[in-house]
Amino acid sequence: MRTREDLARDRGMSFGTFRNRKLYAVPGHPAPISSVGARVLLWDAEQTDAFRDGRPVPALPPPSDNEDLLDRNEAAAELGVTPKSWDSYQRAAPELAEQRVVVAGVEHWPRRAVAAFKQARPGKRAATGRPAGSGDAVPRAELAARVEALLERDPAVTTAQVMDDLGVSYSTAQKALVRLRGARIAELMKTDPGLQADEAADTLGYPPAVRRAAVAEAERQAGYSAAG
């Protein structure tokens, strides 16, 4: 793969000149292979080398190989979650960390690793959660990141939805939601001291039904009266 810096170096010019002239966007130049919205643009080396040398630009192989490398946006799309949720998942899941591949400074994961993670995620369960006496499906060390990802996707996520998605008990889901919502309220009020607790909860998108517990938790964590 090639970055813009690599393309400039291949042409024997400074990156600033290459960037200012936007030579990577001239007619006929191969399109980036990075996902839409990617933080770093990447190009296929064979395509850009062919274009530079005046040769026919070869077509890209179809994206079907299990060894295809996916960036964070593509991996998130495979799971049907936001890129921020994917960030939380891959930080908390050792099996994804072990499969991470850094290409041209950009993190990627093999399609097979993303598919395996998707297959291994707890499936949909009844709203009653796990049977009494059984353990939670999500390891304690991963719980906060998993719940945080759900909150990132939907600030109004309910306890029942967390139970359903992660396969945890009512108590586990409720405590995790209150703790994380409270932490976010406290953090927002710390960065904006003039913000009241209810205003912070509203900004974060938390529904009225969960605000009282979240505000109390924010007060406990921050060590001051979040309400006043």
Side-chain angles (χ1 to χ4, degrees), residues 39-209:
R39 296 166 176 169
V40 177
L41 295 179
L42 297 174
W43 284 262
D44 179 78
E46 291 187 10
Q47 286 192 325
T48 55
D49 287 351
F51 178 81
R52 180 198 60 201
D53 298 340
R55 295 181 282 109
V57 176
L60 294 172
S64 59
D65 194 319
N66 280 336
E67 296 303 318
D68 283 345
L69 295 177
L70 309 180
D71 66 16
R72 67 189 287 267
N73 295 339
E74 293 165 330
E78 288 284 321
L79 262 63
V81 301
T82 66
K84 285 187 177 180
S85 294
W86 169 258
D87 290 343
S88 296
Y89 284 139
Q90 63 92 5
R91 283 196 299 267
E95 65 270 28
L96 292 176
E98 293 169 358
Q99 297 290 328
R100 185 186 300 117
V101 178
V102 179
V103 180
V106 180
E107 293 181 332
H108 291 77
W109 293 263
R111 186 184 301 277
R112 57 174 170 73
V114 178
F117 177 76
K118 181 178 181 180
Q119 187 66 29
R121 291 177 68 202
K124 295 297 182 182
R125 307 171 191 273
T128 53
R130 297 181 64 78
S134 63
D136 291 324
V138 177
R140 184 180 298 274
E142 300 178 16
L143 180 63
R146 296 288 184 91
V147 177
E148 187 174 9
L150 295 178
L151 270 175
E152 187 71 39
R153 186 172 61 190
D154 178 12
V157 65
T158 66
T159 301
Q161 287 171 326
V162 174
M163 294 165 61
D164 184 47
D165 197 70
L166 301 185
V168 297
S169 69
Y170 178 86
S171 176
T172 297
Q174 184 185 49
K175 289 178 180 178
L177 281 172
V178 170
R179 183 169 59 252
L180 289 171
R181 283 187 171 125
R184 289 187 170 196
I185 290 174
E187 183 63 28
L188 187 57
M189 294 181 70
K190 184 185 300 181
T191 59
D192 186 353
L195 202 63
Q196 297 298 309
D198 283 344
E199 294 172 329
D202 186 59
T203 299
L204 291 166
Y206 299 155

